[in-house]
Amino acid sequence: MGLRPRIAVIRGDGVGPEVIDATLSLLERVVDAEFVEVRAGKAYFNETGLPMEEGGMDKLRESDALLKGPIATPTKGRSYPSVNLRIRREFDLYANIRPFKSYDGISLRRMDLVMVRENVEGLYSGEEELRGDVAVTRRVITRRGARRIAEFAFRLAEREGRAKVTAIHKKNVLKVSDGLFLEEFYHVASKHPSVEADDYIVDAAAYRLVKVDRPFDVMLLPNLYGDILSDVAAGVIGSLGLCGSAQIGDEYAAFEPIHGTAEDIAGRGIANPLGTILAASMMLEWLGIKYREGRLDDIGRKMREAVERAVKDGVLTPDLGGNATTFEVAEAVLERM
Ligand code: ATP
């Protein structure tokens, strides 16, 4: 008998519960897995005063992977510690992977690239202070952090048969921190001679993403550049709702859509579930590779192909100009599997 994965699920805030429930309705019918809900996020905090249920982190530790919806970041009113950050730090999920593949007739440009974003360092160091009228944030890039994320990018390129990794930077201004990032990048590149390596300045990369077809193959980005450029790429693809992501560490990984809570459309049953479904397909592929279960890998790939066919067939939520509901889109993906 093969592995029966235990998958932790955080439904999240805003459109999170809608896109997660639609994805679960699909997953439950294509994989034999145990799903364990962990309650967390802003809605849970408002109800209970806790950002995450007691024992929640243990439930995550006892699972094989996490599928999650977006969790609201506290900005005003009663604040609570970021659940996203806690999970990222606890499991050292240092690699944030975001594939962007264009759809004919929907996307502004042809694109088939993967962003590999460093997920725990850079301007997200959490080291900020206000001294009088001077606010300072430390942008931390370590040799170890730069090296392991570069290694991750080249291994991904090798595994997926991709030709080139491009490091994104602003070394002309941030000579020390981006200098170190680039130095480690080329050091790691020298050990992977079958994959080409080059680099690009971040502002020029933003322009290139919207200006040309097939702008990059694999992009390696420090944390903040990855955050910003992935929304640019999602815009070129056609919708934030159409893109999935993985946060991966050495032992554990979390999978989620790249969009936020989309409060403006929450509760109406019209959020695009495809980003979450694509995240779920990445999860199955990751579990398949990690536990050498080709079966899971296969289901993940079929799910991704079914998403492409559903979009091609015009089963679209309003963000893509259609009038299908969240659940209708998930059903359409299932039918095409
Ligand atoms: P957060 O503060 O949680 O990041 P946000 O509103 O700043 O939220 P998003 O939630 O990503 O950012 O939303 C940006 C825009 O994209 C909104 O107009 C939203 O409606 C749209 N959007 C995001 N996700 C989806 C989705 N799954 N389906 C349809 N539209 C979406």
Side-chain angles (χ1 to χ4, degrees), residues 39 41-50 78:
R39 284 166 304 153
K42 189 175 175 183
Y44 185 72
F45 178 78
N46 289 341
E47 212 178 285
T48 63
L50 294 172
R78 278 201 307 161

Side-chain angles (χ1 to χ4, degrees), residues 3 30 47 68 78 94 126 228 246 262 264 276-277 298 300 329-330:
L3 170 84
V30 295
E47 212 178 285
K68 66 182 278 292
R78 278 201 307 161
Y94 63 88
I228 297 169
D264 52 340
T276 314
I277 293 174
D298 280 350
V329 170

Side-chain angles (χ1 to χ4, degrees), residues 84-145:
N84 287 326
L85 220 56
R86 183 160 171 218
I87 294 172
R88 208 175 290 167
R89 296 224 169 109
E90 171 77 19
F91 296 101
D92 196 16
L93 305 178
Y94 63 88
N96 192 324
I97 310 305
R98 298 179 166 187
F100 295 99
K101 193 167 176 197
S102 56
Y103 297 87
D104 290 343
I106 287 182
S107 306
L108 301 175
R109 297 253 165 233
R110 277 174 188 273
M111 185 181 276
D112 180 4
L113 62 83
V114 182
M115 289 194 186
V116 176
R117 164 184 168 192
E118 202 294 319
N119 207 32
V120 291
E121 298 191 340
L123 274 170
Y124 295 68
S125 64
E127 294 181 30
E128 280 201 300
E129 62 178 322
L130 186 61
R131 274 195 219 148
D133 288 337
V134 181
V136 179
T137 302
R138 286 167 71 86
R139 183 171 188 268
V140 178
I141 293 192
T142 67
R143 200 171 283 288
R144 171 177 177 265

Side-chain angles (χ1 to χ4, degrees), residues 15 19 70-73 231 239-242 258-265 270-273 317 319:
V15 295
V19 293
I71 294 178
T73 315
D231 273 30
S239 169
L240 272 172
L242 203 44
I258 76 165
H259 61 77
T261 52
E263 290 290 352
D264 52 340
I265 56 164
I270 56 162
N272 192 338
T317 40
D319 54 311

Side-chain angles (χ1 to χ4, degrees), residues 219-248:
M219 299 172 83
L220 172 68
L221 308 109
N223 211 336
L224 184 66
Y225 305 157
D227 187 11
I228 297 169
L229 291 194
S230 53
D231 273 30
V232 173
V236 174
I237 293 294
S239 169
L240 272 172
L242 203 44
C243 308
S245 78
Q247 300 186 73
I248 301 179

Side-chain angles (χ1 to χ4, degrees), residues 185-249:
F185 169 71
Y186 280 113
H187 175 72
V188 172
S190 67
K191 297 181 175 166
H192 297 270
S194 66
V195 179
E196 268 181 78
D198 69 355
D199 62 86
Y200 229 81
I201 299 215
V202 61
D203 38 325
Y207 185 67
R208 186 172 170 82
L209 275 173
V210 296
K211 193 72 182 164
V212 305
D213 285 321
R214 307 196 180 286
F216 297 103
D217 195 350
V218 176
M219 299 172 83
L220 172 68
L221 308 109
N223 211 336
L224 184 66
Y225 305 157
D227 187 11
I228 297 169
L229 291 194
S230 53
D231 273 30
V232 173
V236 174
I237 293 294
S239 169
L240 272 172
L242 203 44
C243 308
S245 78
Q247 300 186 73
I248 301 179

